[in-house]
Amino acid sequence: MTPTTPHHSLSTLSRRELTFAIFALAMGGFGIGTTEFAMMGLLSDVERGLNISTPDAGNLISAYALGVCVGAPVLAAVGAKLPRKWLALGLMVIFALANFSSFAAPDYHWMLVTRFVSGLPHGAFFGVAAVIAASLVPASRRGWAISMVMAGLTVANVIGVPIATWVGQNFGWRLLFVVVAGIGLVTVALIARFVPFSEAHPDASIRRELGALKRLQVWLTLLIGVVGFGGFFATYTYISHTMTAVTGLPAGLIPLVVALYGLGMVAGNIIGGRLADRSVMGTIYGVLAAIAVSLVLYFVSVVWAPSALLMVFVVGSMGSMLVPSLQTRLLDASPDAPSLASSLNHAALNVANALGAFLGGVVIAWGWGYRAPALVGAGLAVLGLGVALVSGYVERKRPLVS
């Protein structure tokens, strides 16, 4: 089953043109990933700069995540009648302006507002970027194209976040937002220059996009992401505490640990895209099982530094391997409303972030130790696999629309 969006054939789009088009879209993901994750590394600087408490500073991260959840469905639906290139450009302009406004925010309350607005284009941009990328290649390479767009987000964890954090620590935390806004403006220029223009679908409308919400398979796929990917965040949220308190690594090595996790995400994203092109549901089944196993191994081996570092890379790769297949599954499940369905994936992953962090925090508060979130994550992955099996069973009884 493939989306009904028209495809540019490789005969009309050269390899060089395809590379630059996907790079332009991935650059947007790079900027989004940088602003989302670098904020966490600069949280103490933000607290001092705005004279606020740690919980108040945490609300700035929550405001961004809330913006993602609100903006993904709303902006994707509202922009349904726009040509997708124009929608992508508009979302990146909003992203850049919102980050400039964060730089200029005079106090905490204005910063809350600007962080919320910065999150609005996040999910909608990834959704429309995935649809554009999938439309530029044959159906057999959609998973690869989507994973290349998502690579911007994973590479941000290896390059963008450390650089932005260093700039913020040495030249003032507000400069983070200038750096990110600059990336947003570069993305606007690249999309304008390299992404091909195509007219909006003649039947496109808000009602048509909202039709995705009537499909059981869309909701099942989103639930797979919320539950199955929650295990990834249950572990990642507390990784620095685990590495210092359990593994015994010095705090100075935590940036290396985070970078190793990021490298795993890059590798997993690339492999996941290739696997999704072979079998979308087969990849979802296999990766969820692999996430559960890797998190149990992480729980067991994290007491010894060499095996802990190895499993940091493995867990990072297993988690990100799931994303391209989920994105492709949503395109298959809602071919006549691909932008909204695809955008909702990123809202679901932000819910997974909150769910995983919350449940991981609960078992730590119960006194089970910093390794316990990994077992919570393994349990969530198994539950996600259960949802995926239900989705596959339903599809066999009622095939996806074509």
Side-chain angles (χ1 to χ4, degrees), residues 9 72 107 110 232 291 300 313 325 360:
S9 69
D107 56 36
W110 274 110
F232 175 83
I291 290 174
V300 172
F313 178 87
S325 54

Side-chain angles (χ1 to χ4, degrees), residues 310-391:
L310 173 62
M311 291 311 300
V312 162
F313 178 87
V314 171
V315 171
S317 63
M318 288 297 119
S320 63
M321 205 177 290
L322 184 63
V323 178
S325 54
L326 289 177
Q327 201 84 56
T328 306
R329 176 69 170 175
L330 285 167
L331 292 178
D332 288 343
S334 189
D336 53 351
S339 295
L340 177 60
S342 189
S343 298
L344 285 171
N345 191 39
H346 297 275
L349 296 183
N350 272 267
V351 175
N353 188 347
L355 175 67
F358 171 73
L359 293 178
V362 167
V363 293
I364 291 172
W366 286 349
W368 293 6
Y370 288 120
R371 291 193 298 161
L375 293 184
V376 172
L380 288 173
V382 171
L383 288 175
L385 177 58
V387 177
L389 290 171
V390 170
S391 177

Side-chain angles (χ1 to χ4, degrees), residues 28-91:
F30 181 80
I32 289 172
T34 300
T35 195
E36 181 179 17
F37 295 108
M39 187 72 174
M40 300 174 186
L42 292 170
L43 215 54
S44 59
D45 299 89
V46 175
E47 291 170 24
R48 290 190 295 270
L50 294 175
N51 193 27
I52 57 177
S53 67
T54 299
D56 284 340
N59 288 338
L60 295 174
I61 294 174
S62 299
Y64 182 92
L66 180 61
V68 177
C69 294
V70 172
V74 172
L75 293 181
V78 170
K81 290 190 173 183
L82 291 176
R84 291 187 180 122
K85 177 175 179 175
W86 290 6
L87 179 56
L89 285 169
L91 292 169

Side-chain angles (χ1 to χ4, degrees), residues 283-297 311 314-315 318-319 321 381 385:
T283 300
I284 291 174
Y285 297 149
V287 170
L288 285 168
I291 290 174
V293 171
S294 66
L295 288 175
V296 172
L297 292 176
M311 291 311 300
V314 171
V315 171
M318 288 297 119
M321 205 177 290
L385 177 58

Side-chain angles (χ1 to χ4, degrees), residues 131-401:
V131 175
I132 292 172
S135 74
L136 298 178
V137 298
S140 61
R141 299 189 69 201
R142 288 179 305 145
W144 169 83
I146 291 170
S147 72
M148 289 299 98
V149 171
M150 291 301 301
L153 182 64
T154 55
V155 171
N157 284 277
V158 182
I159 300 175
V161 172
I163 291 175
T165 302
W166 180 83
V167 169
Q169 289 174 337
N170 289 277
F171 302 101
W173 60 271
R174 287 182 182 270
L175 285 180
L176 158 67
F177 304 114
V178 176
V179 171
V180 170
I183 296 172
L185 293 179
V186 169
T187 302
V188 169
L190 290 173
I191 292 175
R193 172 65 180 85
F194 295 112
V195 173
F197 176 84
S198 60
E199 295 288 348
H201 194 287
D203 298 326
S205 66
I206 293 177
R207 173 178 288 186
R208 180 184 172 94
E209 287 292 328
L210 291 177
L213 301 179
K214 298 178 181 179
R215 298 210 167 98
L216 175 62
Q217 288 292 4
V218 169
W219 287 106
L220 287 173
T221 304
L222 294 174
L223 187 58
I224 293 169
V226 168
V227 179
F229 209 72
F232 175 83
F233 286 112
T235 306
Y236 184 60
T237 302
Y238 304 102
I239 193 169
S240 62
H241 297 81
T242 307
M243 291 295 114
T244 53
V246 179
T247 310
L249 293 178
L253 287 182
I254 296 305
L256 172 63
V257 172
V258 174
L260 193 59
Y261 208 91
L263 287 172
M265 291 174 66
V266 172
N269 180 67
I270 294 171
I271 295 170
R274 299 287 186 181
L275 293 175
D277 283 334
R278 295 186 178 184
S279 171
V280 173
M281 288 307 296
T283 300
I284 291 174
Y285 297 149
V287 170
L288 285 168
I291 290 174
V293 171
S294 66
L295 288 175
V296 172
L297 292 176
Y298 176 89
F299 173 85
V300 172
S301 63
V302 79
V303 295
W304 188 46
S307 58
L309 293 174
L310 173 62
M311 291 311 300
V312 162
F313 178 87
V314 171
V315 171
S317 63
M318 288 297 119
S320 63
M321 205 177 290
L322 184 63
V323 178
S325 54
L326 289 177
Q327 201 84 56
T328 306
R329 176 69 170 175
L330 285 167
L331 292 178
D332 288 343
S334 189
D336 53 351
S339 295
L340 177 60
S342 189
S343 298
L344 285 171
N345 191 39
H346 297 275
L349 296 183
N350 272 267
V351 175
N353 188 347
L355 175 67
F358 171 73
L359 293 178
V362 167
V363 293
I364 291 172
W366 286 349
W368 293 6
Y370 288 120
R371 291 193 298 161
L375 293 184
V376 172
L380 288 173
V382 171
L383 288 175
L385 177 58
V387 177
L389 290 171
V390 170
S391 177
Y393 174 80
V394 171
E395 182 181 353
R396 287 192 294 275
K397 296 293 184 181
R398 193 187 340 168
L400 297 179
V401 293

